[in-house]
Amino acid sequence: MTPDLPSFHAFMMDCEVWVLGMSWWILMMSIVQNLVALVQLPMAWLELRAYSQVEDSESSWQMLISDTTMPVSLLVPAYNEEVGIVENVQAMLALEYPDVEVIVINDGSKDRTLEKLVETFSLHPSARAFEETVPHALIRGIYGSPLHSHLYVIDKINGGKSDAINAGINFCRNPLFCVVDGDSLLESAALLRAVRPFMEDPRRMAAVGGTIRVANGCEISSGQVHKVNLAKRILPLMQTLEYIRAFLVARLALSRAGVLTIISGAFGIFRRSIAVEVGGLSSDTVGEDFELVIKIHRYMREQKRDYCMRYVPEPVCWTEAPESWRQLGRQRARWQRGALEVFFKYGDMLFNPKYGRIGIVGFGYMLIVDVLGPATEVLSYILIPIVYADGILDFDFLLAYMALIFIYGIFISTTSLILEEMELHRAPRARDLLLLTAVAVAENFGYRQINNVWRLIGWWQYISGTKAWGEMIRKGLART
C-alpha cells in the first residue's frame, strides 16, 4: 500500500511547527526566570541593609533582660527522630530568651524517640489543661520534667506533621509559637533575633521566617554548633549553596516586596491567635509550612486586615541535609508535590486583584518558578538536541545560548555568596568561599538538571494523587 505522501508531509510540517513553537516557549521562560533572579538580587541587598541585625547586639541584650519581650512556645514535631531529638531539645533549652517553653510532640514514633526523651530529661506523666481549638489526633499522654519546668512532651497517635503542630498549638499558652523540626538546631540567639520584628511591629506582624543552614560537617555537641565547617561530601555541599541562594536572595527579595509566600517548616514563628483563626494547619498537603502561610495571606486579605510577614536572615537554624541521591530525590519530589498541592488548592488567588500583591506578584512568582519552571527546563533537555539535529537551531547560537545560561547561573550563585559575606560574614575561612565558588560552577553540570527531573517526578506524584511522605534516614546532628 502506497503511503499518502502529502498527508505525511503535512504531519511532519505540523511536528516541526510544534517543536519550533515549544522552543520559543522555552526561550521565553528562560528569559523570564533569569530576569526574576536578576531583579531579586538588588531587592535582597536593600532588605538586608534595611533590617540586618548583625551589628546590633545591644538590642538583643535589651530584649533578653526586658520584661516586655513576647513569650514564645517552641513546638518540635517529632516522628522517628531518636538519633537527633536529644540534641535538638538541648539546643532549645540553651536558647538565650527570657520567657520560652519547649513542647515536643511525639507523633506516634515507631523508634525510641519518646524513650530517649524520658531517659535524658527524667520525664514523668504531667497534667495540664488545654482547649482543643484546632483539630488533631488523640493525645495518649503528657510529660513534664523536674529538671526543666518549661519542657513538656506530648505523646499522641500518629497524624502527620501538620496534626502534631496543631496539637502543640492547642497545648501552648504563649502569643507566639515557633515551629522547629526535630532534626534541627537553633543558634543560641536565634529566637531573640527572630522575635524582634514582632516587637518592632506588634500590631501587624503575623509571621517571621529565619535562615536554614546545612549542619553536615559542623562540630556539634550538647545541642550547639561549636565549629562551623563545610560538608566533606558533594551532595551536602551542593545543598549548602542552594540554601544560601534560596534564603539569602529569593526570600529576602520576596520579603522586601511584601509577598513572602513560604516560611520554612524547620524554623518559623507565627502569631498563635491568627493560626487559630484560620483553623490551624491542614493535613491534605505535604507542604504544611507553605499552606499555612498562604492560608494566612488569604484570610487576612479577605478580612481586610492590615498585616505583614518578614524573613530575617540572621536567626539561623541548622539542619541535617540528605547525603544520598535517593534521599535527596525523595525530598525534592516531595517539596515539589507540596508546592503544587498548595498552588492549586488556592489557585483562585492567581492574578486576582482581590488578594492584592500576593495574588498578582506572589502567585505569579509561584507559577513561573514552581509550576511551569521544572517541566519547561526538562522539556528543554529533550527539545534542544532535536531542533539542533533537525537543523532548525544554528550551532553557534546553541553554543552561545548554553554558555549564557551556565554563566548566568554561576553569576547568581556567586553573587549570593558575595552578598552573604559582605553583610553577614558567615564563612569562617577564605578557603570555604573558594570551595563554594567552585561548587557554584559544578552544580550547573548535572546537579541542576537532576534536580529538575526530581521536581518533574513531584509533578507526576501530584497528578497521580500520591500522598505518602517518604521515609528520611538520619545520621543524627551529633555525628555530622
Side-chain angles (χ1 to χ4, degrees):
M1 183 175 180
T2 304
D4 187 347
L5 292 180
S7 298
F8 179 75
H9 180 70
F11 171 75
M12 293 302 295
M13 288 293 292
D14 288 343
C15 288
E16 191 168 297
V17 169
W18 182 86
V19 169
L20 190 60
M22 292 305 298
S23 299
W24 278 107
W25 167 258
I26 290 168
L27 181 62
M28 182 189 71
M29 282 294 298
S30 178
I31 291 172
V32 170
Q33 286 180 316
N34 289 330
L35 284 175
V36 167
L38 188 63
V39 169
Q40 284 180 337
L41 283 171
M43 292 180 67
W45 181 77
L46 289 171
E47 182 75 355
L48 194 57
R49 295 288 291 177
Y51 295 107
S52 177
Q53 303 175 26
V54 153
E55 298 176 358
D56 190 7
S57 58
E58 179 64 24
S59 294
S60 295
W61 171 249
Q62 291 297 327
M63 285 180 63
L64 183 60
I65 63 175
S66 173
D67 292 333
T68 61
T69 302
M70 298 178 73
V72 178
S73 296
L74 289 170
L75 308 185
V76 186
Y79 176 72
N80 292 348
E81 298 286 359
E82 66 173 336
V83 296
I85 192 63
V86 170
E87 288 76 16
N88 175 285
V89 174
Q90 287 174 336
M92 303 300 105
L93 296 173
L95 288 174
E96 297 173 357
Y97 203 82
D99 191 352
V100 62
E101 64 177 359
V102 180
I103 303 171
V104 182
I105 307 100
N106 178 48
D107 190 38
S109 296
K110 298 176 182 178
D111 63 0
R112 297 188 69 251
T113 298
L114 181 60
E115 288 80 357
K116 293 197 75 170
L117 288 169
V118 170
E119 293 167 3
T120 305
F121 302 103
S122 302
L123 300 178
H124 58 79
S126 177
R128 176 170 169 173
F130 63 93
E131 183 181 0
E132 293 195 12
T133 55
V134 292
H136 58 76
L138 179 67
I139 291 177
R140 296 184 292 202
I142 298 171
Y143 299 85
S145 171
L147 307 177
H148 307 279
S149 60
H150 55 299
L151 171 63
Y152 296 93
V153 175
I154 299 173
D155 181 36
K156 62 181 286 294
I157 293 175
N158 179 259
K161 185 177 179 181
S162 300
D163 192 85
I165 295 172
N166 280 346
I169 291 174
N170 283 340
F171 191 80
C172 71
R173 296 174 176 173
N174 292 328
L176 304 178
F177 69 88
C178 175
V179 179
V180 182
D181 276 353
D183 61 343
S184 303
L185 303 176
L186 291 183
E187 289 188 347
S188 59
L191 200 56
L192 277 173
R193 289 171 168 168
V195 169
R196 182 169 165 180
F198 286 96
M199 304 291 290
E200 294 172 340
D201 195 350
R203 185 180 64 85
R204 299 172 62 244
M205 195 62 59
V208 171
T211 295
I212 311 298
R213 291 186 70 95
V214 173
N216 304 53
C218 296
E219 295 181 11
I220 299 171
S221 64
S222 301
Q224 294 294 309
V225 176
H226 294 286
K227 186 177 181 181
V228 176
N229 297 317
L230 291 180
K232 296 179 180 179
R233 301 183 65 176
I234 186 63
L235 276 185
L237 264 178
M238 294 284 190
Q239 292 170 79
T240 297
L241 182 64
E242 279 185 304
Y243 277 50
I244 292 173
R245 185 172 59 239
F247 283 93
L248 195 64
V249 177
R251 296 197 188 181
L252 267 175
L254 293 173
S255 181
R256 180 73 178 180
V259 292
L260 189 62
T261 53
I262 184 168
I263 289 174
S264 175
F267 181 32
I269 302 181
F270 298 86
R271 192 175 295 276
R272 182 183 181 276
S273 59
I274 295 177
V276 169
E277 286 179 50
V278 302
L281 283 77
S282 303
S283 58
D284 57 351
T285 172
V286 294
E288 74 291 326
D289 46 1
F290 196 179
E291 199 266 350
L292 178 60
V293 173
I294 298 301
K295 186 190 289 189
I296 291 174
H297 277 301
R298 184 187 188 99
Y299 177 80
M300 299 298 275
R301 289 282 179 177
E302 291 179 348
Q303 295 294 315
K304 295 181 170 53
R305 287 166 59 177
D306 191 17
Y307 74 103
C308 61
M309 299 184 188
R310 188 185 297 171
Y311 163 72
V312 185
E314 288 89 349
V316 170
C317 175
W318 295 92
T319 192
E320 180 185 352
E323 293 192 350
S324 74
W325 291 96
R326 184 178 182 183
Q327 291 294 316
L328 182 59
R330 285 179 176 177
Q331 181 194 67
R332 297 310 165 86
R334 185 179 71 248
W335 286 359
Q336 178 65 25
R337 173 162 49 102
L340 294 172
E341 288 171 348
V342 173
F343 179 84
F344 288 108
K345 181 177 180 179
Y346 297 93
D348 61 323
M349 294 175 66
L350 177 64
F351 301 141
N352 189 336
K354 175 181 177 181
Y355 299 101
R357 67 179 70 180
I358 193 66
I360 296 170
V361 180
F363 268 75
Y365 176 82
M366 290 158 57
L367 177 67
I368 294 169
V369 174
D370 295 318
V371 179
L372 300 177
T376 301
E377 287 218 27
V378 173
L379 185 62
S380 72
Y381 307 153
I382 300 170
L383 284 185
I384 287 178
I386 293 175
V387 296
Y388 170 69
D390 200 40
I392 300 175
L393 190 63
D394 180 72
F395 177 75
D396 291 338
F397 177 83
L398 172 63
L399 198 62
Y401 173 76
M402 297 301 293
L404 180 63
I405 293 298
F406 285 136
I407 291 171
Y408 188 78
I410 295 168
F411 166 75
I412 295 296
S413 296
T414 52
T415 305
S416 302
L417 290 173
I418 292 169
L419 185 62
E420 182 188 54
E421 185 58 22
M422 285 174 55
E423 300 296 335
L424 301 179
H425 317 296
R426 280 284 175 181
R429 294 166 294 273
R431 68 173 180 269
D432 292 341
L433 282 175
L434 291 174
L435 179 56
L436 287 174
T437 302
V439 171
V441 176
E443 70 167 350
N444 290 279
F445 299 92
Y447 181 76
R448 173 178 169 182
Q449 290 75 22
I450 292 172
N451 246 305
N452 281 304
V453 172
W454 286 332
R455 295 177 70 191
L456 200 60
I457 292 172
W459 246 111
W460 170 250
Q461 291 177 352
Y462 170 74
I463 293 171
S464 62
T466 300
K467 297 298 181 183
W469 179 271
E471 184 180 359
M472 296 298 291
I473 299 172
R474 306 292 187 187
K475 289 171 55 182
L477 287 170
R479 290 180 287 280
T480 56

